[in-house]
Amino acid sequence: MKKITILGSTGSIGTQTLEIIASHPDLFEVEALAAGANVQLLVDQARRHRPRMVSLATKEAAEQAAPLLPAGTKVLYGEQSLIELAADPSSDYIVTAMVGSRGLRSTLAAIEAGKTIGLANKETLVTAGHLVMKRASERGVAILPVDSEHSAIFQCLNGERHSTVKKLVITASGGSFRDRTRAELEGVTVQQALSHPNWSMGAKITIDSATMVNKGLEVIEAHWLFDMPYDQIDVIIHPESIIHSYVEFADYSIIAQLGWPDMRVPIQYALTYPDRLPTPTKPFHLAELGKLHFREMDYERFPCLRMAFECGRIGGSLPTVFNAANEVAVARFLDGQIAFLDIERTIEAVLSRHKPEQLPELETIEEIDRWARSEAACCI
């Protein structure tokens, strides 16, 4: 039986992971849960799954949760508690489902503890891919992708030689505004940006999908996960989100992974790999669709994706700045402080002020991250 810790249990990925775990009680046991400020949902999860430990973002939230938790469940709080949960020897599998760069130190702690990692926190590899993958290799730790696109590529590469891969192609739905011109993006509202046509996701990732930042983060993540040069990674718009990504090989054969846009499928595959089990989702029939559509990526229409490729190719600390500036800009947009198009303007402005450092250590990465957030908070 796998003993699992979920960092980010009250978010979209975390709640669906618990749904998968509940459907296979003979295979999985929840050891620890970490959340932010959603006390009631975490308490509900703890009452159902009876973890040994839980963590919340603040002391106040932990004190509120403590009397409501099952007897024997230890409650922690703060950033350090995430590291403690990740390193605790009682679990052997960590699902990193937190949004943003907060997952970096806890992921490194889980690697040092030798645990298998189900990675849903792409920002970890974006900000410090060189550190994470090096340490995982040294410790012999498996990092299994949870994102649907990277899970698709992972599945397509099963049994194939790395040397025969010609190209990884990541599909993109196009987000909430995929059919709008740039001129039509002036004045769009937060509510409009959060109306994703295919996926049910958290607010931050839904905005990232609309700007195509999310796809840029996925490109950088794919570079690290699959050891693939950026010139061999491509992005194509696929409005239906049925082909989750595909791989083109040296003989021009293509292997693709298809299915309904349901995150429970890649989550479960990461939990059960290399086995496959029935999932609580509906069967997929191509005849129901009739046809699929594809469009070439327009990097002028989606400049954030262009910037992500540029940051990835230059490397060093630039992806850290790209991610940090975006996180602040998205938060400001959701709070009504800036316009939608100001997100990309913020990212570009902060990037232009940064001189990249190659192969930065953890402390340098965190310092640059703080600098970029400070710049993004006031540049527009």
Side-chain angles (χ1 to χ4, degrees):
M1 179 174 288
K2 288 182 181 177
K3 296 185 176 182
I4 298 176
T5 290
I6 304 173
L7 306 182
S9 68
T10 57
S12 176
I13 297 297
T15 55
Q16 291 179 88
T17 300
L18 287 171
E19 183 180 344
I20 294 295
I21 289 172
S23 68
H24 299 290
D26 55 327
L27 297 179
F28 307 115
E29 182 178 345
V30 176
E31 284 293 311
L33 300 173
N38 194 335
V39 173
Q40 188 56 59
L41 181 52
L42 180 69
V43 168
D44 292 343
Q45 292 174 342
R47 286 175 173 172
R48 178 170 186 181
H49 296 279
R50 302 281 169 167
R52 291 179 56 255
M53 295 187 291
V54 299
S55 167
L56 285 149
T58 66
K59 181 179 180 181
E60 293 74 19
E63 290 175 344
Q64 182 183 346
L68 306 174
L69 292 168
T73 298
K74 181 180 179 181
V75 59
L76 308 173
Y77 65 89
E79 293 295 320
Q80 188 61 34
S81 70
L82 298 176
I83 298 173
E84 184 174 339
L85 262 60
D88 187 89
S90 63
S91 65
D92 48 37
Y93 193 110
I94 305 290
V95 177
T96 60
M98 294 179 295
V99 175
S101 58
R102 290 176 59 242
L104 176 55
R105 279 192 176 269
S106 53
T107 300
L108 290 172
I111 290 172
E112 290 304 313
K115 302 184 181 188
T116 301
I117 296 170
L119 186 68
N121 176 253
K122 59 179 66 67
E123 292 87 352
T124 292
L125 291 185
V126 170
T127 58
H130 62 292
L131 294 179
V132 173
M133 298 309 292
K134 180 176 183 290
R135 294 189 187 182
S137 176
E138 291 171 347
R139 294 286 293 153
V141 165
I143 298 181
L144 303 174
V146 170
D147 277 347
S148 61
E149 294 83 358
H150 301 93
S151 176
I153 293 170
F154 181 67
Q155 294 177 62
C156 293
L157 289 173
N158 277 345
E160 302 290 343
R161 293 204 306 273
H162 188 276
S163 61
T164 67
V165 176
K166 179 177 175 58
K167 188 186 298 184
L168 309 180
V169 182
I170 300 172
T171 56
S173 68
S176 309
F177 302 132
R178 64 191 178 200
D179 297 319
R180 296 195 186 209
T181 64
R182 287 191 61 77
E184 292 171 335
L185 294 177
E186 295 286 352
V188 296
T189 67
V190 171
Q191 183 177 2
Q192 289 171 326
L194 291 174
S195 300
H196 196 284
N198 298 352
W199 295 93
S200 176
M201 305 179 291
K204 195 265 183 182
I205 193 173
T206 304
I207 301 302
D208 284 352
S209 178
T211 62
M212 209 63 76
V213 163
N214 190 52
K215 213 52 52 177
L217 299 177
E218 289 174 4
V219 166
I220 298 171
E221 183 182 6
H223 163 76
W224 290 112
L225 275 175
F226 306 112
D227 190 24
M228 193 63 57
Y230 286 97
D231 290 343
Q232 289 178 253
I233 304 174
D234 202 0
V235 179
I236 189 170
I237 292 181
H238 170 43
E240 293 87 356
S241 296
I242 294 299
I243 295 179
H244 299 300
S245 282
Y246 62 88
V247 178
E248 181 181 337
F249 293 90
D251 59 357
Y252 298 109
S253 295
I254 288 176
I255 297 179
Q257 190 264 332
L258 289 73
W260 295 117
D262 188 326
M263 281 303 301
R264 292 174 296 181
V265 176
I267 291 169
Q268 180 170 290
Y269 188 69
L271 292 177
T272 63
Y273 176 80
D275 297 323
R276 292 183 185 271
L277 299 174
T279 53
T281 185
K282 64 178 181 178
F284 175 71
H285 301 291
L286 279 171
E288 292 182 23
L289 296 169
K291 55 186 176 181
L292 300 173
H293 300 85
F294 306 91
R295 308 177 200 167
E296 289 286 350
M297 181 55 63
D298 183 345
Y299 292 93
E300 295 302 316
R301 167 64 180 79
F302 296 105
C304 289
L305 182 56
R306 170 184 54 79
M307 286 188 275
F309 266 104
E310 292 170 353
C311 289
R313 287 189 173 100
I314 296 171
S317 55
L318 268 182
T320 299
V321 174
F322 176 84
N323 177 70
N326 175 68
E327 286 188 20
V328 173
V330 170
R332 295 183 70 197
F333 170 65
L334 289 170
D335 287 342
Q337 298 178 28
I338 62 174
F340 178 75
L341 289 176
D342 286 335
I343 297 173
E344 64 191 49
R345 294 172 186 138
T346 297
I347 297 170
E348 191 162 31
V350 178
L351 286 171
S352 70
R353 301 172 191 173
H354 178 64
K355 183 178 180 181
E357 298 190 29
Q358 294 300 316
L359 301 177
E361 293 299 323
L362 180 59
E363 292 74 17
T364 302
I365 289 170
E366 293 178 334
E367 180 181 339
I368 290 171
D369 181 90
R370 288 190 293 270
W371 171 85
R373 291 173 190 277
S374 177
E375 291 289 308
C378 59
C379 69
I380 291 179

